[in-house]
Amino acid sequence: MKRKFIIPSLLLACSTFFISCSTDDGEEEGSKEAEISTAAVSGFLNSEAFTPATTHFTKGESFGDAGYEFKLFSETEECDEFQSIGDISFFVASDTELTPGEYDGKGPYFFYKDGEDSGTASFFGAEVIITEVTETSISGRVRGGDSEAENDIEGAFTATLCQK
């Protein structure tokens, strides 16, 4: 008689355990959205911790592709559409207006000054997720660089339009 209650009880307990371990948060497995941090963008620039104070974007071209260039600055920068580079930048190619979605960005490109010297480091294949686009700002997430914390960037950003 006890056996009749023990087996169904064990099956019920195991079923409950497996159901409680299952989650569905709406993000597809293998998508960039599930992998890129939602924390504020930060990283490393020439092995130094980097957190941008200003993030701008401009519409333009890079290597013959139309799109959007995102520039991250360590200090507060006023919009100057003739700024050639940020401390860290990346480019998203798009022949049309940018819309929310996943993109393969060009870069990121790291520009640094180290005492009297300056240098650059370029990587190919930044992962970019655009979450919101307005006339004057673009929000999203980005990840790229090396995994050894020398030149690396990851997290959420909001860039303001810097173009007259």
Side-chain angles (χ1 to χ4, degrees):
M1 185 79 131
K2 289 183 181 180
R3 201 177 267 198
K4 288 182 182 179
F5 292 112
I6 293 175
I7 293 175
S9 297
L10 285 174
L11 289 174
L12 180 63
C14 288
S15 302
T16 304
F17 174 73
F18 287 116
I19 290 171
S20 67
C21 290
S22 168
T23 62
D24 182 14
D25 57 6
E27 295 178 349
E28 293 180 27
E29 186 177 319
S31 80
K32 295 174 193 170
E33 193 164 347
E35 299 172 3
I36 299 176
S37 175
T38 58
V41 68
S42 63
F44 292 92
L45 176 62
N46 196 29
S47 300
E48 297 288 327
F50 177 85
T51 303
T54 306
T55 304
H56 291 149
F57 79 91
T58 58
K59 296 178 186 178
E61 288 191 10
S62 177
F63 300 108
D65 291 328
Y68 297 79
E69 183 175 15
F70 295 86
K71 302 173 185 179
L72 293 78
F73 300 92
S74 61
E75 298 178 3
T76 302
E77 295 284 336
E78 293 296 320
C79 174
D80 178 358
E81 67 180 300
F82 301 108
Q83 292 168 329
S84 59
I85 56 175
D87 296 313
I88 299 175
S89 63
F90 60 95
F91 184 83
V92 174
S94 180
D95 292 331
T96 61
E97 292 296 315
L98 202 59
T99 59
E102 295 182 3
Y103 295 87
D104 289 323
K106 293 182 180 179
Y109 309 106
F110 298 84
F111 305 94
Y112 58 87
K113 290 186 178 181
D114 186 14
E116 296 294 318
D117 297 328
S118 62
T120 63
S122 299
F123 295 87
F124 298 98
E127 298 172 293
V128 181
I129 300 169
I130 301 300
T131 55
E132 183 179 13
V133 179
T134 69
E135 288 185 27
T136 59
S137 69
I138 297 175
S139 297
R141 295 184 289 178
V142 63
R143 177 174 59 196
D146 64 26
S147 59
E148 298 180 15
E150 188 173 332
N151 292 294
D152 183 66
I153 193 79
E154 181 174 4
F157 66 89
T158 297
T160 56
L161 177 64
C162 183
Q163 220 160 16
K164 306 291 182 220

